[in-house]
Amino acid sequence: MKCWGTWTQPTEEAQWRPLRAKKAWLAEQRAAVSPKTKRPHSQSSIRTRYVAVAAVFKYAVQLRLINVDPCIPVRIPKVEHHELTFLSPEQVNAVVERLDAEPPDGLVVQFAAYTGLRAGELQGMRIRDVNLFARQPYVHVQRQAQYEPKRG
Protein backbone atom coordinates (compact mmCIF):
# COMPACT_ATOMS: atom_id res chain seq x y z
CA MET A 1 0.00 0.00 0.00
CA LYS A 2 2.13 2.79 -1.32
CA CYS A 3 -0.52 5.40 -0.52
CA TRP A 4 -0.63 4.53 3.19
CA GLY A 5 2.04 7.11 4.04
CA THR A 6 0.14 9.89 2.28
CA TRP A 7 -2.92 9.04 4.36
CA THR A 8 -1.19 9.03 7.69
CA GLN A 9 1.58 11.60 7.25
CA PRO A 10 0.50 15.25 7.43
CA THR A 11 1.97 17.73 4.97
CA GLU A 12 4.04 20.75 6.03
CA GLU A 13 0.84 22.72 6.60
CA ALA A 14 -0.48 19.90 8.79
CA GLN A 15 -3.26 19.28 6.27
CA TRP A 16 -4.41 15.82 5.30
CA ARG A 17 -4.40 14.77 1.67
CA PRO A 18 -7.18 12.22 1.97
CA LEU A 19 -9.19 12.36 -1.23
CA ARG A 20 -6.32 12.30 -3.69
CA ALA A 21 -4.47 9.60 -1.74
CA LYS A 22 -7.51 7.35 -1.38
CA LYS A 23 -8.42 7.70 -5.02
CA ALA A 24 -4.85 6.73 -5.91
CA TRP A 25 -5.03 3.79 -3.49
CA LEU A 26 -8.33 2.60 -4.97
CA ALA A 27 -6.91 2.90 -8.49
CA GLU A 28 -3.85 0.93 -7.37
CA GLN A 29 -6.09 -1.79 -5.90
CA ARG A 30 -8.17 -2.01 -9.09
CA ALA A 31 -5.02 -2.36 -11.19
CA ALA A 32 -3.27 -4.83 -8.89
CA VAL A 33 -3.22 -8.51 -9.77
CA SER A 34 -3.81 -11.16 -7.14
CA PRO A 35 -0.74 -13.43 -6.85
CA LYS A 36 -3.01 -16.39 -6.09
CA THR A 37 -5.47 -16.07 -9.01
CA LYS A 38 -3.34 -14.01 -11.43
CA ARG A 39 -6.42 -11.83 -12.01
CA PRO A 40 -7.32 -8.31 -10.82
CA HIS A 41 -8.72 -8.08 -7.30
CA SER A 42 -12.49 -8.42 -7.12
CA GLN A 43 -14.70 -5.53 -6.12
CA SER A 44 -15.58 -7.28 -2.87
CA SER A 45 -11.87 -7.71 -2.00
CA ILE A 46 -11.20 -4.02 -2.59
CA ARG A 47 -14.29 -3.09 -0.59
CA THR A 48 -13.22 -5.33 2.31
CA ARG A 49 -9.77 -3.71 2.43
CA TYR A 50 -11.26 -0.23 2.25
CA VAL A 51 -13.70 -0.98 5.08
CA ALA A 52 -10.80 -2.11 7.27
CA VAL A 53 -8.80 1.05 6.54
CA ALA A 54 -11.88 3.23 7.10
CA ALA A 55 -12.45 1.58 10.49
CA VAL A 56 -8.93 2.54 11.56
CA PHE A 57 -9.52 6.18 10.62
CA LYS A 58 -12.93 6.23 12.32
CA TYR A 59 -11.28 4.95 15.49
CA ALA A 60 -8.54 7.59 15.16
CA VAL A 61 -11.24 10.30 15.05
CA GLN A 62 -12.88 8.82 18.16
CA LEU A 63 -9.52 8.94 19.97
CA ARG A 64 -9.07 12.53 18.70
CA LEU A 65 -5.81 11.61 16.99
CA ILE A 66 -7.17 13.26 13.84
CA ASN A 67 -9.97 15.78 13.41
CA VAL A 68 -11.64 14.49 10.27
CA ASP A 69 -12.13 11.01 8.87
CA PRO A 70 -10.39 11.13 5.49
CA CYS A 71 -12.45 8.21 4.22
CA ILE A 72 -15.79 10.01 4.24
CA PRO A 73 -15.67 11.61 0.76
CA VAL A 74 -14.46 8.51 -1.10
CA ARG A 75 -16.83 6.29 -3.03
CA ILE A 76 -15.88 2.66 -2.99
CA PRO A 77 -16.85 0.22 -5.74
CA LYS A 78 -20.21 -1.46 -5.44
CA VAL A 79 -20.13 -5.21 -5.30
CA GLU A 80 -21.96 -6.84 -8.17
CA HIS A 81 -23.95 -9.86 -7.12
CA HIS A 82 -24.19 -12.71 -9.56
CA GLU A 83 -27.09 -15.08 -9.70
CA LEU A 84 -26.20 -18.44 -8.24
CA THR A 85 -26.88 -21.58 -10.20
CA PHE A 86 -27.44 -24.99 -8.67
CA LEU A 87 -27.47 -28.48 -10.05
CA SER A 88 -30.87 -30.10 -10.52
CA PRO A 89 -31.51 -33.46 -8.80
CA GLU A 90 -31.03 -35.15 -12.18
CA GLN A 91 -27.64 -33.46 -12.65
CA VAL A 92 -26.58 -34.42 -9.13
CA ASN A 93 -27.55 -38.03 -9.81
CA ALA A 94 -25.55 -38.00 -13.08
CA VAL A 95 -22.44 -36.77 -11.22
CA VAL A 96 -22.97 -39.33 -8.45
CA GLU A 97 -23.26 -42.17 -11.00
CA ARG A 98 -19.93 -41.16 -12.57
CA LEU A 99 -18.22 -40.91 -9.17
CA ASP A 100 -19.61 -44.16 -7.75
CA ALA A 101 -16.72 -45.97 -9.44
CA GLU A 102 -14.43 -44.50 -6.74
CA PRO A 103 -16.26 -44.90 -3.39
CA PRO A 104 -17.00 -42.80 -1.34
CA ASP A 105 -16.81 -39.88 -3.82
CA GLY A 106 -20.35 -40.33 -5.13
CA LEU A 107 -21.77 -40.56 -1.62
CA VAL A 108 -19.89 -37.43 -0.51
CA VAL A 109 -21.21 -35.43 -3.50
CA GLN A 110 -24.74 -36.66 -2.87
CA PHE A 111 -24.50 -35.83 0.85
CA ALA A 112 -23.17 -32.34 0.09
CA ALA A 113 -25.80 -31.68 -2.57
CA TYR A 114 -28.75 -32.66 -0.41
CA THR A 115 -27.55 -31.09 2.84
CA GLY A 116 -26.23 -27.88 1.27
CA LEU A 117 -22.84 -28.22 2.96
CA ARG A 118 -19.87 -26.43 1.41
CA ALA A 119 -16.51 -28.08 0.77
CA GLY A 120 -14.88 -26.56 3.87
CA GLU A 121 -17.80 -27.62 6.04
CA LEU A 122 -17.56 -31.17 4.70
CA GLN A 123 -13.85 -31.28 5.48
CA GLY A 124 -14.39 -29.97 9.00
CA MET A 125 -17.23 -32.37 9.78
CA ARG A 126 -16.84 -35.12 12.39
CA ILE A 127 -18.95 -38.23 12.92
CA ARG A 128 -20.48 -36.73 16.05
CA ASP A 129 -21.85 -33.84 13.94
CA VAL A 130 -24.30 -36.16 12.15
CA ASN A 131 -27.27 -37.85 13.83
CA LEU A 132 -29.32 -39.96 11.44
CA PHE A 133 -31.24 -41.68 14.26
CA ALA A 134 -32.85 -38.64 15.85
CA ARG A 135 -36.57 -38.00 15.37
CA GLN A 136 -35.50 -35.32 12.93
CA PRO A 137 -32.12 -36.44 11.48
CA TYR A 138 -29.64 -33.56 11.38
CA VAL A 139 -26.15 -32.40 10.50
CA HIS A 140 -24.68 -29.92 12.95
CA VAL A 141 -22.03 -27.66 11.37
CA GLN A 142 -19.58 -26.66 14.10
CA ARG A 143 -16.39 -26.00 12.16
CA GLN A 144 -14.99 -25.68 8.69
CA ALA A 145 -11.62 -26.39 7.20
CA GLN A 146 -9.56 -23.40 6.09
CA TYR A 147 -7.18 -23.40 3.14
CA GLU A 148 -3.57 -22.96 4.21
CA PRO A 149 -1.25 -22.14 1.28
CA LYS A 150 1.69 -24.24 2.51
CA ARG A 151 -0.35 -27.20 3.74
CA GLY A 152 -3.29 -27.21 1.32
Side-chain angles (χ1 to χ4, degrees), residues 42-55:
S42 69
Q43 291 174 332
S44 63
S45 294
I46 296 170
R47 186 179 187 87
T48 300
R49 291 175 182 180
Y50 180 82
V51 167
V53 170

Side-chain angles (χ1 to χ4, degrees), residues 37-146:
T37 64
K38 306 295 187 231
R39 295 187 318 229
H41 293 293
S42 69
Q43 291 174 332
S44 63
S45 294
I46 296 170
R47 186 179 187 87
T48 300
R49 291 175 182 180
Y50 180 82
V51 167
V53 170
V56 170
F57 282 114
K58 184 176 181 179
Y59 188 60
V61 169
Q62 289 174 350
L63 294 178
R64 296 190 176 147
L65 298 173
I66 58 175
N67 294 329
V68 179
D69 181 354
C71 295
I72 291 173
V74 175
R75 291 181 169 239
I76 51 178
K78 291 185 179 180
V79 177
E80 295 175 8
H81 297 283
H82 301 285
E83 187 173 327
L84 300 176
T85 56
F86 300 97
L87 296 178
S88 69
E90 294 79 24
Q91 292 170 319
V92 170
N93 288 334
V95 171
V96 169
E97 284 178 23
R98 294 266 324 240
L99 293 175
D100 273 342
E102 294 289 327
D105 295 347
L107 182 62
V108 171
V109 168
Q110 194 170 25
F111 185 77
Y114 291 109
T115 59
L117 292 175
R118 298 180 178 135
E121 294 168 339
L122 279 171
Q123 288 178 312
M125 192 169 53
R126 303 289 181 260
I127 290 174
R128 66 178 175 261
D129 298 335
V130 180
N131 187 346
L132 300 177
F133 302 108
R135 180 182 288 176
Q136 288 270 314
Y138 65 87
V139 175
H140 186 74
V141 178
Q142 295 186 9
R143 69 199 65 76
Q144 67 179 5
Q146 296 291 327

